[in-house]
Amino acid sequence: VDAHAQYSTMSSSSRRMVFEPGAATTSVATNSHSRNTPRGPKVKRWTSGVSAPGYILLIIVVAWVLVEVMVVERMAWPSRTGSTRARGGGGDGGGSLWVARAIALALAATVALGLWMTHYLDPGVIPPRATIDDDVAWYLGLNRPRANVYVPLETSCAVEEGAALVARFSKDFRGQPIKSVFPERLLDPEDPEGPLLQGGMTPEFCPEAQTFRYCTTCNIWRPPRASHCSECGYCMARFDHHCGVVATCIAQLNHRCFAFMLVSGGAACAVYAAAAIVRASQVCDASLGLGKTCWSGWEVWVLVAFTFWLVYGAVALLGFGVLQAWFLCRDITTKERLGKKSPGLEPGLGKRAAEHWSGRGSGATTTYNDVCCAPVRFRPWYD
């Protein structure tokens, strides 16, 4: 059977799908494979729930209450006369007291806002389709491991300008349909539909080819850098990772919120820890607190334990937050940095990584337009 001849009989709108992932297609009712393919069980969406973010919110509230009760309220603030005096373990700070309370509350509210935005805003869901794609139905209907078709010259997706291109349909090791577009000169003349191109390389790992994977759950061709999340039930654009702590995916639209939450959380822990250290020093000051006998009381031990907890949070959150901010600036995702990568993407390449995956030039420009300035909307729910 001549696969190219069969493909040429398809509608023009359907043929364009080979080269334009995400474009709308015509009805597949006339395709025998799509008619006989069951839709399958209903996909579960957003299965992570809110228990994990709820625990994080509880930790934020507990930290704020401890700072308010153990540090701000008991701190020996300068009095209105300019002297520093103790007041039952604290001081009549006047305006200083209320400024400290406002700062403590603002830091906790900022972290809570970052958590809320990361969890409830759209991570970057790619809308699924209810029916199988025309091109996939055509390829599966051939019942062949691979099928080559020639790209029309008027198409805009050109891997090599002025060269004849070939689109190859095949399956990956998971059985998911994939398509690779590459110059015709890379075909093995002795076995054009063989698994390897000239040089012994498969199209998926060829730097001169563009490979797109089809998601059989969402019935869409995934754009470059997209991935399907079984926990959330959708394909995510510019997928970074699924975070069980915030119970959602970190992807194109909420990566900035995730980095903001981490950095603000680390900053809040650092400020709270500094305030706790100041209060502990006051407890051990003879003119303000217990003096040398401070270690025999309970307050200083609570402050020391609280400080260690805050320092640990500041180091962990600021470290991970700065790393995520660096990933944003270099346009690299956690999956690309730590996972299995094609030879075109090496760790830490930044601009070259962005050019390989997006094909649109500078990584900084791509990140600014598509991630940092992406639209803000609540996460959707598709059947």
Side-chain angles (χ1 to χ4, degrees):
V1 179
D2 186 356
H4 179 65
Q6 287 195 13
Y7 183 79
S8 63
T9 62
M10 299 174 65
S11 64
S12 59
S13 60
S14 177
R15 287 199 301 271
R16 283 196 297 271
M17 275 301 295
V18 178
F19 323 108
E20 300 176 11
T25 60
T26 56
S27 173
V28 295
T30 59
N31 186 285
S32 59
H33 182 86
S34 60
R35 281 201 310 266
N36 299 327
T37 301
R39 183 174 181 179
K42 185 177 179 63
V43 179
K44 295 182 179 180
R45 314 289 192 186
W46 310 115
T47 60
S48 296
V50 296
S51 57
Y55 293 139
I56 301 300
L57 182 61
L58 179 62
I59 292 175
I60 296 173
V61 173
V62 169
W64 171 71
V65 170
L66 287 175
V67 167
E68 176 67 24
V69 174
M70 295 298 302
V71 178
V72 176
E73 181 64 26
R74 303 176 69 87
M75 187 79 75
W77 298 101
S79 65
R80 292 182 176 87
T81 61
S83 61
T84 302
R85 59 194 181 98
R87 178 181 58 84
D92 185 12
S96 299
L97 175 62
W98 289 104
V99 170
R101 283 176 170 171
I103 293 175
L105 180 60
L107 288 172
T110 301
V111 181
L113 176 63
L115 175 65
W116 181 87
M117 291 191 303
T118 304
H119 177 75
Y120 282 106
L121 295 184
D122 182 9
V125 173
I126 303 175
R129 300 177 65 237
T131 57
I132 191 172
D133 180 77
D134 285 359
D135 295 320
V136 176
W138 166 82
Y139 163 65
L140 296 178
L142 296 177
N143 197 24
R144 295 166 59 178
R146 286 168 296 278
N148 293 338
V149 294
Y150 292 93
V151 179
L153 295 179
E154 65 272 12
T155 57
S156 59
C157 179
V159 179
E160 181 177 307
E161 185 176 357
L165 303 180
V166 174
R168 168 172 292 181
F169 290 86
S170 58
K171 294 182 180 179
D172 61 11
F173 67 95
R174 300 185 185 89
Q176 299 270 29
I178 61 176
K179 62 185 175 186
S180 301
V181 182
F182 52 86
E184 183 184 7
R185 59 177 173 79
L186 297 180
L187 285 175
D188 187 347
E190 297 182 359
D191 188 9
E193 290 198 0
L196 302 178
L197 303 176
Q198 291 194 60
M201 184 179 294
T202 60
E204 303 94 280
F205 294 94
C206 178
E208 298 185 68
Q210 288 183 340
T211 299
F212 305 97
R213 283 171 169 79
Y214 184 78
C215 178
T216 55
T217 303
C218 298
N219 288 321
I220 60 171
W221 287 106
R222 290 201 292 258
R225 311 181 79 182
S227 185
H228 184 85
C229 176
S230 58
E231 294 288 332
C232 297
Y234 296 104
C235 286
M236 301 291 179
R238 195 185 178 276
F239 179 83
D240 189 86
H241 70 284
H242 180 87
C243 182
V245 176
V246 296
T248 189
C249 279
I250 308 302
Q252 178 173 330
L253 300 185
N254 71 342
H255 199 169
R256 55 189 171 178
C257 302
F258 183 65
F260 169 78
M261 179 195 70
L262 294 174
V263 173
S264 61
C269 287
V271 173
Y272 285 178
I277 292 174
V278 172
R279 175 54 193 159
S281 66
Q282 290 182 350
V283 175
C284 294
D285 190 333
S287 62
L288 299 174
L290 301 176
K292 295 182 178 179
T293 62
C294 63
W295 295 104
S296 60
W298 61 270
E299 183 179 359
V300 70
W301 289 106
V302 172
L303 289 172
V304 168
F306 187 40
T307 301
F308 273 107
W309 179 55
L310 290 172
V311 169
Y312 171 79
V315 172
L317 293 175
L318 279 177
F320 193 37
V322 170
L323 178 64
Q324 290 297 317
W326 182 81
F327 279 179
L328 282 173
C329 294
R330 303 296 291 172
D331 197 17
I332 299 175
T333 65
T334 302
K335 181 179 181 180
E336 294 165 358
R337 190 68 173 85
L338 303 178
K340 294 182 179 179
K341 298 164 283 288
S342 69
L345 177 61
E346 300 173 8
L349 287 181
K351 180 178 178 180
R352 284 179 54 193
E355 291 175 349
H356 173 78
W357 286 101
S358 66
R360 289 184 293 174
S362 172
T365 302
T366 301
T367 303
Y368 181 78
N369 293 334
D370 295 346
V371 180
C372 296
C373 293
V376 177
R377 55 176 177 261
F378 288 103
R379 60 186 189 182
W381 190 289
Y382 300 98
D383 293 332

